[in-house]
Every structure is written in structure tokens, then in C-alpha cells.
Amino acid sequence: MLRFRLLWLLVFCSALSSSKARRAPFVMRISCGARQNVHTPPTNTLWYKDFAYTGGVPTNATVKSSVSPPLKTLRYFPLSEGPENCYNINRVPKGHYSVRIFFGLVAQANFDYEPLFDVSVEGTQIYSLQSGWSNQDDQAFAEALVFLTDNTVSLCFHSTGHGDPAILAIEILQVDDKAYYSSQQWGQGTIFRTATRLSCGTGKSKFDVDYSGDHWGGDRFWKAIPTFGQNSDRPRSTESRIKQASISPNFYPEALYRSALVSTDNQPDLTYAIDVEPNGNYSIWLHFAEIDSSVTKVGQRVFNILINGDVVFEDVDIIKMSGGRYTALVLNTTVAINGRTLTITLHPKEGHAIVNAIEVFEVIIAEPKTLPDEVRALRALKKTLGLPLRLGWNGDPCVPQQHPWSGADCQLDSTSGKWVIDGLGLDNQGLRGFLPGDISSLRHLHSINLSGNSIRGLIPFSLGTIASLEKLDLSYNFFNGSIPESLGQLTSLQILNLNGNSLSGRVPDALEGRLLHGASFNFTDNAGLCGIHGLPTCGHHLSAGAKVGIALGALLSLLLTGICLLCWWKRRQNILRAQQLTARDAPYAKARTHVTHDIQMTRHNNQGHARTAAETGPILLS
């Protein structure tokens, strides 16, 4: 019985594990500029509309690349809306993803035919469009493998002055967490940007889905390359089943290994070269399967693999290393490239060289992001100051480093490992609104220059909590009220320009003391300020508490005066009412007055006899 229960538990756990393994990966596809969801042939693929993800302008699209999805709209981002524009997508589960962005052309007159711009994912620049991209299938999109750790993904497009960025579609496809594990550089802080992905030999360019590949592979695009050079090689193909192809974690499609290029006697070496970014690291994945019917055993095909002339794999024997014919073999290496060319050479030692597919990724170290509190503070500034659209302020303020926000100076904080804002330079930018107290969250600021704008309201008391502040220039705005006492607590403050505003009251004594330590302050052109050299002398100065007390006392006096006036009015009304009643009853009152007077006179005349009668009268009680 116990054995049966253990067996049942083993079967249940195996089924649970198998069910988890078969779980479909997270997939999100966005048709940019679409007003409703779209299904595209031939696979009836669902593309979601992009409402509420970003700004920009939706319009019709021209699609020239044969690998781009057949969508009719795109979204472009005019420079007038800022140099940085982003898609910010929430509710993306944490994990490892293949992120792909397709570019398009605006189908309208008077537009630059082929815009050139930069692309960043999660704050790290991964791609710069080059002239001629619209005529190259593998350049019509940018693709990268990236770890998403906070349930969001940010995709940004940075203008370089060559037309308005135009985005046709976005794909976010989950892959295995261990996909393309290669070396110590691999991990959450690393991004693999696809430089090229080739299917060698016969056939057409295809996606994984065209190969009926596993969905956990990320639906990669394989560009068909029939030859590395004229008469330098010959194609090979087979219809036989290939073993060990679609296995975890990379899940390569089996059909990928059914074609190959083989070197010839005239050209023994197989050589492939691509242009790359200089001074970068590249992860190279080479795919092999022995599909040549003339090679049947170990030792018949042996070759070395060289990268830019250096041997990285020696004595490669596919049958020996894979375990047999028609069996997939994948070799990987990561190399540093100094120049602008990466050359892969397969040099045969026995027989001819062969290769089925090639993948090359640029290894990019992910940029550290800006501290979240400081990003929120800048976004609050953007809202309350009415920041002009032309400044943008979208995405991350400090990264990619090639495209920081205009007016925000950044510094890498050694303690947190994050970027922080150490300067704001937004002078003469047409800013309006008011300065929010949230500015104190920018606690690493050394300099603030907001001069020459139209900012109104009070100077926030919280400015006095930015201990590192050395320069504060709020001149020529419309600030009113008094200068906060907290500014006197800024012991590092050396320059303070508050001139040209509508400030009033006494300049804090602590600021006057700072002048003795070599600080430079300017309070001129504020008609209501007083109390410091160069300004009018202040009268009796009351503290803020005293002012509040006086105000409360005055309010109480007004209240008591109102109550007294009300009581006096009611009393006056009662007196007037009584007089009216008296006037109406005057004749009766006069008659009664005469009778009373007669009785009183009578009593007065008989007063002497009254006592005698009382004394001699009859006894009424016995």
C-alpha cells in the first residue's frame, strides 16, 4: 500500500512538473498607432492596440521589409514633443524576455523618408538606425534579450536630428530564464543585443514560428544566407530528423539544422565577417549537425574555429562531440573585439568545414537607473512647472547616458549604485506654475537655476532640507511671501539669487550671518523685503507665532463686537415695542391715574382717624 502511494505521488509530481514546463510563455504584441486590436495572416497573430501606452501621433504606415508584420499603422514622435519618447508597459511578469521593435515609414508627404534614431530598452541604448535600414530585412527591427525585474518594461526612442522616430510594432516574448547562458557576464545586469542570426545553405528567411518551433524560443528571425562568397562554398540539405535540437533552455527549431554550407577544395576555409561596434564584447553561437552523406564516422571531418584569427575551438569533430550523425551541436564563446569587424573562420584539418547556423550578440552591460524617489520628484516638477513639450522628460532622466534629460545633471552615487540628480538648469525656459515641496526629494542637488521664468507662489520651506545645495537662483520670477527661515540652515550655500521677485518681510538673520562667511546673496528688486544691508530698515518685527496670535485676537474681537451689536439691536426693538403699547393705551392709563390720585388724597386726609378706628374697633376674633 505504501509503495502504491509513493508511486502515485511520483506520478502526480511528474505530471505537475510537466504541466509547468508546458505552460505557455508570456506574449505581448502591440500594433503601434492602431485604434483597435489587429489579427495578421497567415498565423492569425493577435496585435493589441497601443492606446494609453505613450504619446506621439498615430498615422498610416508604409512597410517595405518582407519580415515586418503586415500592419497598416504606426506611431511617430515629432521632435516638437521632445527628443525622448517612450512606451511604458505595465503588468509584464518578471522574467527573461526577447524584446523586438519594428520600424516603419510614415505614409505621408513632407516626411523624411527614412528616419534615423536611437533605441533603448530599460534605460540602456541597444541600437542606432543606420542609413539604408529600410532596404535590409535584418535591419528593419532591433532585438535584445533582457531581464525584466519590476513588472514593467520601458522602450524609448531618441531623436538624433534625422527625422521623427516611427515605430510600427513591438513584441515582448518570454524565453527560458537560462536562455543563452554563456559566461560570468550573463545575468540580470546583462543585455544581449542581436547583431545577426543566420540560417546557412538553402531555404528562405524564416521565424521560429515558420519552423513550427517551440514558443519558449522567442520566435527568432533567421536570415537565410545561401553563400559566404561566390564559389567559396556549396549548400547541403536533408529531410532527415535532427536529434537534440529543440531542448531547454534555447529550444532551437529542428529544421534549422537541415541545411548547411560546406567549404570546397578551391576554398577550404569557410569565412563570415560582419561589421560590429568597436571595443565591445560579443557572444557567438555556432550551430552544427552532420547532414553530409559522405561523412559517416568520427575523424572524417575535423576543423578549427577562429575568431579574428585567434583559435577558440580546436579539432571540432561534429560526430564525436554530438554523439552521432543528424544530431545538433551548439558551440558558444564570448570574445572582445577591438576593431570594427568580427570574422569567423572555420579552417579544416580533415575533410571540409561545415556550418548550419550562426548567431552573434553584442553583450551590453545594463545601465544602472536613477533613484526612483528622484525620478518621481522630477516628474512632479514637470507637472507643476508646466514644462514645455519640447524638453520631453520621458523615460529615465540619466540613462541612456547618450540621451539624458535636458536641464538635469546626473552623477553616479557610489553608495546606492544608482544615478542621482546633482543639478537643475532650467533658466529662461518659459516655466509657469509653482515650485512643489517635492523638490526636496532631490536631496543630492548642488545647484538649482530656475531664473528668468514665470514661476509664482511661495518658496517651499523644504528647500532648506537639501543640505548639499551650494547655489540657488530663483531670480526674475513671481515668487511672493517671505523668505523661508529654513534657507538659513543651508551651511553649504554660497550663491543665493532671489532678486526680481515679489518677496516681502524680514530677511532671515541666519542668511545675514552667511554673508560674513563669503557667501554672495542678491535680494534686490523685492519691494517688500527689509532688514539687511542694502534693503530698507524693518519696523517692529513680529514672529510668525505673534502674527498668528494677533490675527486670532482680531477675529475674536470682531466676533464679540458682532454679538454685542446683535444684543443691543434686540433690546432696542423691545423698548420700541413697549412704547408703542403705551401710546395705544394712554386714555385708560390717564383715568386710572386720577382715581388713584383721589384715593391717595382721601387716605391722606383721614390719616389721623385711621389709627383710632383700628384701636377702638370691634374684636373680630375671640
Side-chain angles (χ1 to χ4, degrees), residues 199 203-211 220-224 255:
S199 173
K204 297 181 179 180
S205 299
K206 293 183 178 181
F207 289 89
D208 278 2
V209 66
D210 301 318
Y211 284 121
R220 292 154 291 206
F221 171 70
W222 300 90
K223 180 181 178 180

Side-chain angles (χ1 to χ4, degrees), residues 311-517:
V311 176
V312 294
F313 295 103
E314 191 172 6
D315 297 332
V316 175
D317 188 324
I318 299 172
I319 294 179
K320 180 180 179 180
M321 297 174 70
S322 67
R325 301 175 67 207
Y326 303 106
T327 303
L329 171 68
V330 182
L331 300 180
N332 163 248
T333 186
T334 300
V335 297
I337 303 298
N338 295 322
R340 293 184 173 274
T341 303
L342 187 155
T343 303
I344 302 171
T345 303
L346 282 65
H347 176 69
K349 300 176 72 173
E350 294 290 339
H352 299 100
I354 186 174
V355 64
N356 299 74
I358 299 174
E359 293 177 284
V360 179
F361 300 96
E362 182 183 5
V363 182
I364 303 174
I365 304 303
E367 292 267 19
K369 296 184 178 182
T370 306
L371 280 175
D373 286 348
E374 304 214 351
V375 176
R376 284 191 287 269
L378 286 181
R379 288 174 177 165
L381 278 178
K382 175 182 178 179
K383 181 178 180 181
T384 59
L385 293 180
L387 205 73
L389 285 175
R390 56 182 169 77
L391 292 181
W393 278 31
N394 298 306
D396 189 289
C398 301
V399 293
Q401 293 185 56
Q402 301 91 330
H403 300 282
W405 286 5
S406 177
D409 298 328
C410 299
Q411 181 179 7
L412 190 62
D413 180 46
S414 58
T415 302
S416 64
K418 302 282 189 179
W419 289 97
V420 297
I421 309 301
D422 69 347
L424 279 178
L426 295 171
D427 51 304
N428 300 298
Q429 295 295 331
L431 305 182
R432 300 179 180 275
F434 64 95
L435 194 59
D438 292 352
I439 194 173
S440 62
S441 295
L442 301 172
R443 55 189 178 87
H444 298 88
L445 281 174
H446 290 277
S447 173
I448 300 175
N449 187 354
L450 300 176
S451 63
N453 289 292
S454 300
I455 306 172
R456 301 178 180 274
L458 303 177
I459 298 175
F461 183 88
S462 60
L463 274 177
T465 65
I466 308 177
S468 59
L469 198 59
E470 299 174 359
K471 176 182 177 181
L472 177 60
D473 191 345
L474 304 179
S475 60
Y476 299 108
N477 280 283
F478 296 98
F479 287 103
N480 55 35
S482 60
I483 299 174
E485 295 279 350
S486 63
L487 295 187
Q489 302 171 9
L490 299 175
T491 58
S492 298
L493 192 64
Q494 293 298 311
I495 298 176
L496 175 62
N497 295 331
L498 300 179
N499 51 301
N501 282 285
S502 300
L503 299 171
S504 59
R506 179 184 292 274
V507 174
D509 294 336
L511 287 178
E512 186 174 6
R514 295 288 304 142
L515 290 173
L516 301 177
H517 294 82

Side-chain angles (χ1 to χ4, degrees), residues 250-294:
N250 293 328
F251 301 97
Y252 292 111
E254 180 183 343
L256 181 69
Y257 297 90
R258 290 179 178 156
S259 65
L261 286 174
V262 180
S263 64
T264 65
D265 292 334
N266 294 332
Q267 186 66 43
D269 290 348
L270 278 178
T271 302
Y272 174 72
I274 62 170
D275 295 332
V276 295
E277 294 295 325
N279 304 317
N281 293 322
Y282 286 82
S283 182
I284 302 166
W285 299 71
L286 303 172
H287 300 264
F288 306 97
E290 190 51 79
I291 61 173
D292 195 331
S293 59
S294 64

